[in-house]
Amino acid sequence: MHATTVRGRYAGVAAGLLAVAALTTATACSASDPPARAGGPTTTAASASARPAESLKPLLQQALPGVEGKTFTSAVVELPPNASAAPHRHGDAFVYAYVLEGTVRSKLDDEPVTTYQQGENWFERPGAHHVLTENASRTEPAKLLVVFVSDTGDKLKVEDSKP
C-alpha cells in the first residue's frame, strides 16, 4: 500500500518531468545548436552473474536552456527476460523512470523492493544507490523510458566497484 501511495503522490512529479521533456525537445528543435542523438550501437552493461544485462539506448541529450551546467538526457533501457543490472549510482543526477513495457523490480538505498508494471513510474534522488534493477519476468522483455537531469559531462551510470 505504501508504494501505491508514493506513486500517487509523485504523479505530479512525473507529469512535470514529461512536460520538461516536451519543452526541452521543442527547444532543442528550434535551437541553432542541434541536440546530440544516438546513432551508434546500444550500450550494454556488464553483469556479475550469468543473467542477461540491460541495454541503454540514448534518445536525446541537450543542455538545459537557462540552466547553466545541467544537461537533459532521455534514454530507453531494455531488459531482456530475466535481465538484471549491476548495483549502481547515477552520480548527482535526478532520474525519472517510466515503465513502457513489462514489469520491473527496483530497490533504492534502504527502501523495500518495489515492483512496477507498465505505465507506472518512479524517480531517484541525486546520489541514490540503485541496489536492484531487474526484469520480473523470465519470459517477457521489459522496457523503461529514463530521463536524467545531470551535471554536464558527468557519467550517467557508475556501477559499484568490484570487491
Side-chain angles (χ1 to χ4, degrees):
M1 179 137 173
H2 169 71
T4 302
T5 304
V6 170
R7 287 184 201 132
R9 186 176 344 147
Y10 293 116
V13 171
L17 280 171
L18 290 175
V20 167
L23 289 172
T24 303
T25 301
T27 303
C29 291
S30 64
S32 59
D33 185 28
R37 298 198 184 273
T42 303
T43 304
T44 302
S47 177
S49 69
R51 294 175 74 176
E54 87 284 11
S55 65
L56 175 85
K57 178 183 175 187
L59 299 173
L60 173 75
Q61 188 171 44
Q62 174 71 41
L64 282 173
V67 187
E68 189 172 329
K70 294 291 183 182
T71 297
F72 170 95
T73 305
S74 62
V76 171
V77 174
E78 295 186 6
L79 295 143
N82 198 36
S84 178
H88 61 276
R89 297 178 190 270
H90 298 289
D92 288 326
F94 178 88
V95 181
Y96 167 77
Y98 177 86
V99 182
L100 295 168
E101 177 183 318
T103 304
V104 176
R105 279 193 288 266
S106 179
K107 177 174 173 41
L108 297 171
D109 296 315
D110 294 329
E111 296 292 319
V113 173
T114 304
T115 301
Y116 297 95
Q117 306 285 333
Q118 181 178 358
E120 294 181 320
N121 60 85
W122 73 91
F123 73 90
E124 301 175 28
R125 288 182 168 80
H129 187 205
H130 208 148
V131 180
L132 173 73
T133 310
E134 68 181 4
N135 184 340
S137 175
R138 294 183 178 272
T139 59
E140 299 297 322
K143 192 181 294 188
L144 301 168
L145 170 65
V146 183
V147 174
F148 303 87
V149 176
S150 63
D151 291 336
T152 301
D154 280 1
K155 287 186 174 183
L156 294 178
K157 179 181 175 189
V158 179
E159 290 185 6
D160 290 356
S161 55
K162 310 271 189 272

